[in-house]
Amino acid sequence: MGSTSLADGCVPTTFSPTIFGAEVLSVSASLVTNYSLDIPDGFRFTAPARKIRDAQFCNVTVTYTHPGYGDKINVESWLPIDNWNGRLQAEGGGGWAAGRFELSYAGLAGAMFDGYASTTTDGGLWGSPDADSWALKSPGNVDWYTLENFASRCLNDQAIIGKSVVESFYGRPPSYSYWNGCSQGGRQGLMLAQRFPKAYDGIVAGAPAIYWSNNMLNSYWPEHIMRTINEYPNVCELDAITAAVISKCDGLDGLTDGIVENVDECTKKFNPYDLVGTTVDCGNTTVKITKAAAQVAKAAWEGIVSPTGEHLVYPNFNLADITHEELLSLLHASKQEYGSIIDTADPDLSEFKKAGGKLLSFHGLTDNIIPPKGTEQYYREVSKKVDNVEDFYRYFEIPGLAHCLGGPGQPESLFAQLQAWVEDGVAPDSSPVSFSNSKGETQNRILCPYPRKAKYNSSCGNAAKEECWSCVAQKSTESKIQHPEL
Ligand SMILES: *[C@@H]1O[C@H](CO)[C@@H](O)[C@H](O)[C@H]1NC(C)=O
Ligand SMILES: *[C@@H]1O[C@H](CO)[C@@H](O)[C@H](O)[C@H]1NC(C)=O
Ligand SMILES: *[C@@H]1O[C@H](CO)[C@@H](O)[C@H](O)[C@H]1NC(C)=O
Ligand SMILES: *[C@@H]1O[C@H](CO)[C@@H](O)[C@H](O)[C@H]1NC(C)=O
C-alpha cells in the first residue's frame, strides 16, 4: 500500500464507524501536510520531547450523538501517512477537558510522529476548559447526560471510533491499542480499565484524579486550616519548612541531590512543629516560624483528614468560608451524589487483568494539585483485591515530579516500557530518568515501582550513572495520619 493511495483515502467517505447507541452526524477528513510542532519535555508525560517538521497525516473528525440525549461529540484522529507502526494511541484530557486541549494535541502530534494513529475526544464539551458552561442545565439542575459522557461513556466511544477509523484507512485494525493520559486523563485511564476492560491493551494512568467527586475540596484544605485557626502564615515560612524537609530527607536514598525519594520515611523523620520559633529570612525582613505555618504545611502534605485521622480524599478546589463540619458533610454528599458516576476508585481490575491488559500509573511526589497518596492508596487496594498485582499493574512514585510534568523526574521511558510489557512481556522493573542537577550536570537515576524505592550504591562511585542505582524493597507504610490540631 503506497503513500499515494493512503493519502487518496483521506476523504470522508472512507470512514463509517458504527457505535452501538450512537448515530454519526458527520465525518470530516482532510490531508494535513507540512505539519510542524516543537513538543517540549513533559508535554507527553511518558514519552520524550519531539521536533516535528513537515509531517503528513490524515485528520479525521467523527461527530456523533446518542439519539434522544441531544449531545454532540467529536472524536478527532490523526493518521500518519508515511510511517504507521500498526498501533493506536489514544490521548486523555486534563482538568475539565475530556480531550482536544493543548496537551492532548501535543500527545496526538508526538504519537503521529512516532508512527501511531492517535485519537482524542471532546466528550461533547466542545473544548470548554471548565465545567461552568455545561455542568448545569439551569441553576440547581445538573446536565446528567453530559456529565455521564464526560465521566465514562465518551471514553469507550472514542476507543470504538479510533479502531474503526484505523481499520477503514489502513485496511486492518490496530495490532495494539494504548491509552496515554494524566490527571483527568489518568482518571479516564482508570475508568477504562475498570468499566471498559477490553478497550485498550495498555494504559498509562498518570497522577489520576481518582476521587473526582471529592477532588474539588483538597487544595482548599490548607486554606480551610488557616481560616479555622484564623492565622495566615508568611509564604517564606512555608518555603523554609519545605527547604528543611528536603535537606533533612534528601540523603535517605544514598545521595544528596535535592531529590527526596521516600516521602513516607521523610514525614516520619520530619516534624514541622520542631521548626516553630526558628528565625527565617524573608527578603527584606526576618520572621520566626509560627505554629500556624507548621499546621498549614502538614495539612498541605497530608490532604483532608477526618477528626479520627482517616484520610477522606486527596482533592483540589476553592470555597468560601465553611466550617470543618460543613466541609466534611459536603464531601460526604458529593461522594454519594457523584461517586458512582465519576469516581474511579473501584479496585476490582480482575476483568482487565483477564483480558491481558497492562496498566502503569505514575505520580509526582511533589504534585501539589492531586496528592500522590490517593494513587498509592488505590494501588494498595487493587493489590488486596486482585492476586499478583505486579503481573498487570505497576505504580511508579516519582520524586521531584510536579503535577504530570515539570521537575527533575519526567518518566519519559514509561510509555515505551508499557508497550514492551504488552507486546513482549517485558515488565518494567525500573525506569531510567535523566535530568540536569542544580549544578547543571546531567544526572541519571532510576524510578522504581511501588513499594520499592531507588537506592544509590555509594561504592559504585558515580552518582550520574544509572547502573549505580537499584530498586530496593521497603516495608510498606500504611500509617494513619494524625489529625491536625484545630
Ligand atoms: C511541504 O512538504 C514537502 C514534502 O516534504 C516539501 O517538499 C515542501 O517544501 C514543503 N513545503 C513547505 C511550504 O514547507
Ligand atoms: C483537524 O480537523 C479538525 C476538524 O475539522 C479541525 O478543527 C482541526 O483544526 C484540524 N487540525 C489540523 C492540524 O489541521
Ligand atoms: C518587603 O518586600 C515585599 C515584597 O518585595 C513588599 O511587598 C513589602 O512592602 C516590603 N516590606 C517592607 C517593610 O519594605
Ligand atoms: C555496589 O557497587 C560496587 C562497585 O561497583 C559493587 O561491587 C557492589 O556489588 C555494589 N553493591 C550493590 C549492593 O549493588
Side-chain angles (χ1 to χ4, degrees), residues 301-306 309-314 373 377 481:
W301 299 338
E302 294 179 347
I304 300 180
V305 293
S306 79
E310 293 157 277
H311 250 124
L312 292 172
V313 288
Y314 305 93
K373 281 270 157 210
Q377 175 180 316
I481 303 287

Side-chain angles (χ1 to χ4, degrees), residues 145-260:
Y145 294 141
T146 303
L147 184 64
E148 190 206 18
N149 278 335
F150 172 70
S152 61
R153 192 156 182 197
C154 76
L155 303 172
N156 196 41
D157 295 344
Q158 179 186 0
I160 292 166
I161 291 169
K163 290 175 189 178
S164 161
V165 159
V166 163
E167 183 164 8
S168 303
F169 192 64
Y170 298 105
R172 67 172 175 89
S175 42
Y176 296 97
S177 299
Y178 296 94
W179 177 268
N180 182 28
C182 193
S183 194
Q184 173 60 246
R187 187 202 66 82
Q188 292 169 324
L190 292 182
M191 179 60 88
L192 284 155
Q194 290 164 18
R195 223 172 273 196
F196 309 106
K198 292 180 177 157
Y200 293 100
D201 303 294
I203 291 175
V204 172
I210 298 175
Y211 308 95
W212 188 262
S213 68
N214 287 328
N215 259 12
M216 337 268 103
L217 300 164
N218 197 55
S219 72
Y220 174 67
W221 179 239
E223 189 184 332
H224 176 71
I225 299 283
M226 291 189 262
R227 285 176 188 277
T228 307
I229 61 181
N230 198 22
E231 279 185 62
Y232 296 82
N234 195 312
V235 173
C236 72
E237 294 177 64
L238 298 171
D239 290 346
I241 293 175
T242 303
V245 179
I246 291 177
S247 81
K248 177 107 182 176
C249 301
D250 188 357
L252 292 176
D253 59 3
L255 185 68
T256 303
D257 55 1
I259 290 175
V260 176

Side-chain angles (χ1 to χ4, degrees), residues 453-464:
K453 306 278 183 216
K455 185 97 190 158
Y456 174 58
N457 173 0
S458 56
S459 43
C460 185
N462 187 347

Side-chain angles (χ1 to χ4, degrees), residues 17-33:
T18 49
I19 316 120
F20 179 65
E23 188 183 305
V24 173
L25 298 172
S26 64
V27 176
S28 80
S30 59
L31 194 64
V32 177
T33 55

Side-chain angles (χ1 to χ4, degrees), residues 457-478:
N457 173 0
S458 56
S459 43
C460 185
N462 187 347
K465 278 192 175 164
E466 185 190 325
E467 57 268 30
C468 290
W469 293 84
S470 58
C471 292
V472 298
Q474 299 268 318
K475 253 202 260 154
S476 169
T477 46
E478 210 171 325

